[in-house]
Amino acid sequence: MTKRFGDTIAVNDLSFAVNEGELVALLGPSGGGKTTVLRLIAGLETPTSGDIFIRGHRVNDLPVQKRNIGFVFQSYALFKNMTVYRNIAFGLRVKKWKRRAARERVEELMQLFGLEQLGHRYPHQLSGGQRQRVAIARALAPKPDVLLLDEPFGAVDAKIRQELREWLVRLHHQFNVTTLFVTHDQEEAMEVASRIGILNCGRLEQVGSPQEVYEQPANEFVARFIGVMNVIELEVRNGMACLDQIAFPAPGYKDGDKVRVGFRPYNVRVSPSTDEYRCQAVIRHTYFLGIMMRLDLELPSGARVCARLTKEDYKRLGLATGMRVSFQIAEHKILGAAQNSNAHTAAGSGCTHGER
Amino acid sequence: MITERQTARGSPPRVAGSGSGAGRFLLVVIAMLFALVFLFLPLLNVFAKAFEKGWTVFYGALVNPDTVSAIKLSLTITAITVPLNLIFGIAAAWAIAKFEFRWKSLLVALIDLPFSVSPVVTGLMFVLLFGLRGYLGPWLDAHNIQVIYAVPGMVLATTFVTLPFVARELIPVMQSAGNEQEQAALTLGASGWQTFWHVTLPSVKLALLYGVILCNARALGEFGAVSVVSGHITGLTDTLPLRVEKLYQEYNSTAAFAVASILALLALVTLAIKTAFEWHTQRVYARAERATSDARTTRTKST
Amino acid sequence: MRSAERHFSALPGFRFTLGYTMFYLGVIVVIPMAALALKALELSPGEFFRLVSTPRAIAALQLTFGASFVAAFVNAVFGTLLAWVLVRYEFPGRRWVDALVDFPFALPTAVAGLTLASLFAENGWLGRFLVPLGFHGAFTRAGVVIALTFVGLPFMVRTLQPMLENFERDVEEAAAILGASRLRTFLTIIAPTLLPGVLTGFTLAFARAVGEYGSIVFISGNLPFRTEIAPFLVVIRLEEYDYNGATAIAVVLLVVSFLILAGINKLQLWANRFNR
């Protein structure tokens, strides 16, 4: 199955394929064109140029009704004037299913989704989580070729969201329907999807398994968006990229070039003894994040680096805010040459969060 | 007896000395006197005068053949006008509420236009167009079609006057409902008609009903525009309001009031439905408000 | 994403509904309006001026605009008071009065004229007290004002009510805490906020009154130069088959209505200037 898009204002020259039965997440900041991609596939928007294929057939000229897709809207868009039962049955009714077959299908879905008791309720009498389940059941009822979900967990509160994620994975196993879902929450994408496409400003930055995009980000945007990433700017001297005591080999760069380097906070090793590692810093802030601790380190030049370690390690090492420490960077990635003068300020801020 | 009321954006001020009871009482009394003279008395007077000479006279006035034919004509005109404006209102609301296009505000202004044209001027327009000395008059006369001083002209004038009602009620409701439910129906395989019939129409049915009621009331009660194009032929082109005028001119006051009381009753029914509709929307609104604030509190609790 | 959504909608039926809307508006509204415009353009400016400046036409136009103004003013005072009382105070029967405010809007104008004329006539419920005091409400110019006040009332009250409902009462409390007296709070805080609403209501009531015909016919007596309003003169001219005379006066009424509506739009923009 191939889907190709031309460029609308929101989606720029995007091309990717989702395999039969796969669960793929489109991840990106809000306004990145994710929803537009879904709407293009569904036929709710027309691409300016490019083609969309479902199961090998070009569907550009097929109207929405004929594409056989299931779409779950961010706001669910349940029919307010219909009961839960009639919402789920709607797609079957308009597709002229036999009365009995339709009833069996709806009852099967209601049972699977734990909605048996709610058949006679109206959408406004349901909780957020229940509404979401009705929306997915309604989309799945006519046995679509593709299921499209737009921020499926966006309107549900944080506690239920975790349950729903696990539920979505189980559901996908059970129905094995090709699923594409859109989210701005990187954690959610990592946890649920078998592959992730990262979308920024209408461009697809990278497609890969959660592990791939996390460990081998294609560029700085992906690196910063997936997880937390330190990005610092170093100057090349004698073939080494240097900042204070930090030095990395920088093959292919001339002396005097500025290079941007990224590394994950958990790859920063910190020691209370100032001579255990080569790099020197002062702990400026300590943040408590549950079982993890986050440290903000200030380098002699004023640059900031973020480190992450477990609470046990923190206690064992006897670290505290204001302490002079030494550190080393276990693993890093050269992101490329610094392009503009703003880059230094960006590097100065060090820690960038992928989360909202 | 008179207390301060809770309003949408705030409860009565609890500051000491907020308005003396006597001042409040005086304001209410003046306002109620005004309402008495301009609202209650005119209403009561209609029925009092209609039944002044007892049931028999009242009944006799209504079964008068000319009055009966006026009732029939009023119903006929309404039965043509209301469906026409209903279909127009639905089509216009669909185009305006669900799509974006250039000159939309101009179209909306054009729909509202009949409200700002004097009924008499409306009648004049149709006379200028279809009257014997009007632009199309000679042609119509040559083909033996009579529009002015006949039912077609009265239907046209009434349609003009009542054109905005349904569209104006539907547009805001459809606009605020958004497009998502319709889009969801499309993705589930529904055709345009099925979507409209099963999804859009049920969600606007109250506004639609309300628009039809208002349109209906105005169509039955329109006087100025219809008067100009009717020709006042007793028993032929007299509608109910025109019949009231004629009886009044004939100094048959009780009969005039008897016919007027039917129209006043109609106004009261319209008012009752309108009020019920508003109280209902207030309740729905309050419920929605509660639901969102509930959701907000649960969300804040969980974070 | 938003902008893309707005420019394209997958919903069907756009061409058909828009086409039908334009066709219907064309037949019912645009063509008749065009007929009037065409007729008006056939008149030379001199002729037009002559037709609207006959003594009878001037008297009728003066009465229409004068009485409309007075009626709108009466509503601006008492309608505002009624709206205030209905929104701010709770008293027995409040909801019923509130519901009845729309009565003049729902009542056919012919019935309104009929019942008002009989109320204010010498033997009417109000006339029997007022006529001995020298106030003749029926078949006088005062009667025209009474009828126009009646038809304009809902416009005033219904414009002001939502504004009063949404009025933030904390502001009043704040003023009171700062030591302002009740009167001062009203004059400095409440009145300026209400002014745009009162003006809008005034204009709407005025616009409605300028075109009013049905109720006046019954209560004014329609005496030329005395109690004859401009719309009535249009009807007279038509009955005389004087299409030009009728058109000229109608154009004056129509242009004034449109100017008023344009004014209301400006007024509302001005009224909302603090809310953006």
Side-chain angles (χ1 to χ4, degrees):
Chain A
M1 188 167 77
T2 317
K3 295 164 187 160
R4 273 203 300 271
F5 305 97
D7 49 292
T8 63
I9 315 146
V11 180
N12 195 359
D13 214 5
L14 185 101
S15 170
F16 71 99
V18 177
N19 300 319
E20 185 91 43
E22 214 179 2
L23 177 56
V24 174
L26 273 181
L27 176 66
S30 35
K34 299 164 301 192
T35 301
T36 312
V37 173
L38 284 199
R39 294 175 62 87
L40 282 164
I41 301 170
L44 292 168
E45 312 270 350
T46 15
T48 323
S49 65
D51 298 311
I52 302 159
F53 294 91
I54 297 177
R55 291 213 158 134
H57 299 288
R58 187 173 176 278
V59 295
N60 281 41
D61 303 321
L62 273 185
V64 199
Q65 295 95 326
K66 299 271 165 63
R67 291 200 187 184
N68 200 25
I69 42 105
F71 199 111
V72 178
F73 289 80
Q74 189 173 359
S75 62
Y76 310 144
L78 295 178
F79 304 130
K80 291 197 187 88
N81 55 303
M82 296 182 201
T83 58
V84 167
Y85 183 95
R86 298 217 336 187
N87 259 286
I88 301 174
F90 184 85
L92 308 178
R93 209 169 69 176
V94 298
K95 284 188 174 148
K96 304 224 157 40
W97 277 43
K98 288 269 182 311
R99 194 175 288 260
R100 245 187 78 189
R103 202 179 57 227
E104 277 165 13
R105 176 71 175 160
V106 176
E107 274 163 5
E108 177 200 345
L109 282 164
M110 295 218 308
Q111 203 194 350
L112 268 170
F113 284 59
L115 299 166
E116 306 100 311
Q117 310 302 323
L118 308 173
H120 295 291
R121 296 235 191 139
Y122 284 90
H124 69 85
Q125 299 166 314
L126 301 177
S127 72
Q130 289 167 339
R131 280 179 212 180
Q132 200 237 15
R133 277 180 284 162
V134 175
I136 297 182
R138 184 180 70 177
L140 282 174
K143 302 196 170 164
D145 292 334
V146 191
L147 181 64
L148 305 170
L149 303 129
D150 188 4
E151 296 273 5
F153 310 121
V156 187
D157 54 77
K159 226 184 284 174
I160 309 177
R161 207 174 296 174
Q162 187 57 40
E163 278 170 45
L164 285 172
R165 281 180 199 165
E166 289 159 20
W167 173 77
L168 181 67
V169 175
R170 263 184 287 133
L171 187 81
H172 181 252
H173 267 293
Q174 201 154 11
F175 284 91
N176 208 30
V177 54
T178 313
T179 305
L180 185 60
F181 82 100
V182 146
T183 176
H184 61 261
D185 185 339
Q186 45 111 0
E187 227 175 278
E188 190 170 291
M190 302 282 272
E191 208 176 300
V192 175
S194 51
R195 280 197 303 148
I196 301 177
I198 291 143
L199 211 63
N200 181 36
C201 306
R203 270 200 326 274
L204 196 60
E205 303 278 1
Q206 189 177 5
V207 188
S209 69
Q211 203 180 348
E212 272 166 16
V213 292
Y214 191 75
E215 286 173 358
Q216 293 137 37
N219 54 37
E220 188 177 334
F221 177 82
V222 176
R224 280 167 172 255
F225 198 77
I226 302 284
V228 185
M229 180 76 128
N230 286 298
V231 178
I232 53 173
E233 195 173 296
L234 303 97
E235 198 178 307
V236 180
R237 269 178 265 135
N238 305 323
M240 297 291 274
C242 304
L243 176 71
D244 298 324
Q245 294 88 8
I246 305 172
F248 299 122
Y253 288 95
K254 297 193 302 293
D255 279 13
D257 281 355
K258 300 255 183 186
V259 182
R260 288 165 74 74
V261 169
F263 49 94
R264 301 280 177 199
Y266 62 79
N267 279 328
V268 178
R269 304 280 143 75
V270 183
S271 162
S273 121
T274 46
D275 31 63
E276 182 165 356
Y277 302 120
R278 208 152 59 88
C279 308
Q280 301 296 310
V282 177
I283 302 175
R284 280 297 169 213
H285 271 292
T286 310
Y287 300 92
F288 176 69
L289 309 170
I291 62 155
M292 297 299 282
M293 303 291 285
R294 193 181 111 197
L295 308 179
D296 268 6
L297 305 177
E298 189 180 308
L299 273 52
S301 65
R304 292 236 174 178
V305 162
C306 169
R308 205 180 254 242
L309 67 170
T310 61
K311 203 161 69 185
E312 283 71 32
D313 284 346
Y314 183 81
K315 280 202 184 127
R316 186 171 49 79
L317 294 168
L319 298 170
T321 305
M323 218 169 150
R324 304 190 133 271
V325 293
S326 66
F327 70 96
Q328 79 167 6
I329 296 159
E331 235 180 80
H332 72 280
K333 186 177 162 66
I334 294 184
L335 299 167
Q339 275 144 2
N340 48 35
S341 51
N342 291 343
H344 193 75
T345 32
S349 65
C351 260
T352 314
H353 290 265
E355 294 114 320
R356 278 180 293 166
Chain B
M1 195 165 99
I2 299 165
T3 51
E4 297 241 4
R5 223 184 122 233
Q6 170 104 23
T7 57
R9 293 252 217 126
S11 42
R14 284 183 221 297
V15 186
S18 65
S20 67
R24 210 150 60 188
F25 184 73
L26 195 67
L27 287 182
V28 173
V29 165
I30 298 172
M32 286 308 106
L33 269 177
F34 184 68
L36 180 76
V37 171
F38 282 97
L39 297 173
F40 284 101
L41 288 184
L43 171 62
L44 292 179
N45 189 52
V46 177
F47 295 102
K49 289 275 177 189
F51 294 107
E52 206 174 35
K53 292 181 182 158
W55 262 102
T56 351
V57 181
F58 175 81
Y59 181 75
L62 291 190
V63 294
N64 172 298
D66 291 338
T67 304
V68 170
S69 84
I71 293 175
K72 278 186 189 155
L73 180 59
S74 273
L75 291 177
T76 309
I77 292 174
T78 307
I80 300 169
T81 304
V82 173
L84 278 178
N85 282 337
L86 171 65
I87 294 165
F88 162 76
I90 291 171
W94 182 266
I96 286 166
K98 302 290 181 194
F99 301 90
E100 288 298 325
F101 53 92
R102 283 179 66 173
W103 308 113
K104 187 153 121 177
S105 48
L106 191 79
L107 200 70
V108 174
L110 209 57
I111 291 174
D112 278 343
L113 188 95
F115 277 165
S116 52
V117 176
S118 167
V120 168
V121 178
T122 305
L124 170 71
M125 288 174 186
F126 286 101
V127 173
L128 290 177
L129 201 57
F130 299 114
L132 208 49
R133 297 189 201 174
Y135 291 106
L136 302 175
W139 185 87
L140 289 171
D141 194 45
H143 291 79
N144 232 343
I145 305 169
Q146 198 174 8
V147 176
I148 296 303
Y149 306 140
V151 177
M154 299 167 80
V155 169
L156 277 173
T158 310
T159 308
F160 180 99
V161 171
T162 57
L163 179 137
F165 285 105
V166 178
R168 265 174 75 122
E169 290 305 321
L170 280 185
I171 291 169
V173 180
M174 274 202 195
Q175 249 163 356
S176 71
N179 285 358
E180 279 206 333
Q181 289 187 57
E182 279 85 0
Q183 288 174 355
L186 293 181
T187 63
L188 289 167
S191 70
W193 261 115
Q194 285 172 319
T195 304
F196 172 74
W197 198 250
H198 295 298
V199 177
T200 311
L201 206 55
S203 66
V204 299
K205 58 177 185 249
L206 271 182
L208 190 78
L209 178 74
Y210 181 39
V212 167
I213 299 274
L214 289 182
C215 183
N216 181 65
R218 183 70 194 266
L220 282 172
E222 177 52 30
F223 179 79
V226 171
S227 163
V228 171
V229 296
S230 80
H232 304 279
I233 309 161
T234 305
L236 268 182
T237 63
D238 267 350
T239 60
L240 276 178
L242 296 177
R243 184 76 192 140
V244 172
E245 187 196 21
K246 199 158 278 176
L247 289 168
Y248 178 70
Q249 283 166 350
E250 290 165 0
Y251 298 103
N252 192 348
S253 167
T254 309
F257 273 103
V259 178
S261 70
I262 307 176
L263 291 167
L265 195 66
L266 181 83
L268 283 182
V269 171
T270 307
L271 216 57
I273 295 172
K274 179 181 152 70
T275 309
F277 176 77
E278 275 165 5
W279 290 355
H280 174 85
T281 11
Q282 272 166 18
R283 262 203 314 278
V284 171
Y285 183 75
R287 195 169 61 198
E289 192 88 311
R290 243 191 341 268
T292 43
S293 71
D294 282 355
R296 219 172 295 135
T297 39
T298 47
R299 206 162 301 157
T300 9
K301 264 183 223 149
S302 64
T303 41
Chain C
M1 264 191 296
R2 268 292 131 86
S3 65
E5 245 165 19
R6 280 179 48 196
H7 286 295
F8 178 83
S9 174
L11 296 184
F14 175 60
R15 277 157 178 273
F16 171 71
T17 53
L18 185 66
Y20 181 72
T21 302
M22 301 217 294
F23 166 76
Y24 191 86
L25 279 173
V27 171
I28 303 290
V29 177
V30 177
I31 293 178
M33 294 284 294
L36 182 71
L38 203 63
K39 194 76 191 169
L41 291 173
E42 281 174 12
L43 301 172
S44 72
E47 209 179 346
F48 178 83
F49 187 73
R50 189 183 56 76
L51 287 167
V52 297
S53 64
T54 63
R56 189 170 170 186
I58 287 184
L61 286 167
Q62 268 176 348
L63 178 62
T64 285
F65 293 122
S68 298
F69 190 88
V70 176
F73 187 79
V74 171
N75 273 325
V77 176
F78 291 99
T80 306
L81 178 66
L82 186 56
W84 173 269
V85 163
L86 287 176
V87 171
R88 298 292 294 256
Y89 303 139
E90 189 59 78
F91 51 90
R94 188 191 63 81
R95 287 188 95 177
W96 294 103
V97 179
D98 190 22
L100 208 61
V101 165
D102 282 316
F103 180 64
F105 184 69
L107 190 71
T109 52
V111 182
L114 183 73
T115 181
L116 287 172
S118 109
L119 269 184
F120 285 92
E122 223 165 323
N123 55 354
W125 287 354
L126 292 169
R128 71 179 62 155
F129 304 110
L130 295 172
V131 172
L133 295 172
F135 183 86
H136 293 268
F139 314 119
T140 58
R141 291 184 172 183
V144 177
V145 173
I146 288 169
L148 294 180
T149 306
F150 178 81
V151 298
L153 177 64
F155 292 89
M156 194 71 207
V157 178
R158 292 297 183 230
T159 308
L160 277 176
Q161 267 178 329
M163 296 188 74
L164 282 167
E165 284 279 352
N166 283 323
F167 191 78
E168 284 170 52
R169 309 268 292 254
D170 325 4
V171 183
E172 284 167 63
E173 283 185 312
I177 289 164
L178 291 169
S181 70
R182 189 75 172 153
L183 182 68
R184 184 149 174 195
T185 309
F186 183 84
L187 289 180
T188 55
I189 312 282
I190 302 174
T193 339
L194 285 189
L195 189 66
V198 174
L199 282 176
T200 308
F202 179 92
T203 332
L204 285 170
F206 182 78
R208 171 67 209 261
V210 165
E212 179 55 25
Y213 172 73
S215 55
I216 313 289
V217 173
F218 289 84
I219 200 172
S220 83
N222 309 310
L223 290 172
F225 300 102
R226 284 279 309 142
T227 59
E228 184 183 65
I229 51 158
F232 191 83
L233 189 56
V234 173
V235 175
I236 297 287
R237 292 282 182 256
L238 259 180
E239 281 172 1
E240 293 165 349
Y241 291 103
D242 178 6
Y243 284 11
N244 290 346
T247 303
I249 299 167
V251 165
V252 173
L253 290 176
L254 205 59
V255 167
V256 169
S257 295
F258 289 168
L259 288 179
I260 292 170
L261 281 188
I264 290 174
N265 281 334
K266 281 262 160 20
L267 200 66
Q268 265 156 359
L269 286 180
W270 177 73
N272 285 328
R273 70 199 187 285
F274 295 128
N275 297 339
R276 265 178 290 162

